[in-house]
Amino acid sequence: SQIGVQFYDQSLGQVPLRVLGNGVPSLKLGDLLGLLKDRLEPGRYEALSSSGAAEEFVSLQRLRDAGIPVRYDAARDQLKFGEE
């Protein structure tokens, strides 16, 4: 399935979403990076896109651990970036 991505109040598109057996949602990192490329801190896009994880599905917690603030908005069923 797909999930919408929002950066502050701007809709950026959708990325593939999988829910793992443990119920944890994960998304394809490379597709997400494509949407966030111009919005990430200098060097962060390059570091993440060149990592082996770029083609993997990663959890929201893994994104947070990598310094990308993200939260799931259940009411709108979308991921929100750039907000506290």
Side-chain angles (χ1 to χ4, degrees), residues 1 7-8 18-19 21-23 35 39 53-54 57 59 64 66-67 70-71 73 75-76 78-79 81:
S1 67
F7 185 80
Y8 289 98
R18 287 186 184 165
V19 178
N22 57 5
L35 294 178
R39 294 161 181 90
F57 281 78
S59 69
R64 290 183 201 110
V70 58
R71 72 176 180 87
D73 181 342
R76 294 194 169 107
Q78 65 184 4
L79 299 175
F81 293 84

Side-chain angles (χ1 to χ4, degrees), residues 5-50:
V5 175
Q6 184 169 340
F7 185 80
Y8 289 98
D9 61 353
Q10 182 181 13
S11 178
L12 301 180
Q14 296 193 336
V15 294
L17 174 76
R18 287 186 184 165
V19 178
L20 303 177
N22 57 5
V24 174
S26 60
L27 50 119
K28 191 162 185 187
L29 181 59
D31 290 355
L32 177 67
L33 291 174
L35 294 178
L36 296 176
K37 180 178 181 179
D38 297 331
R39 294 161 181 90
L40 294 174
E41 297 171 10
R44 188 170 304 275
Y45 171 82
E46 290 79 10
L48 291 171
S49 64
S50 65

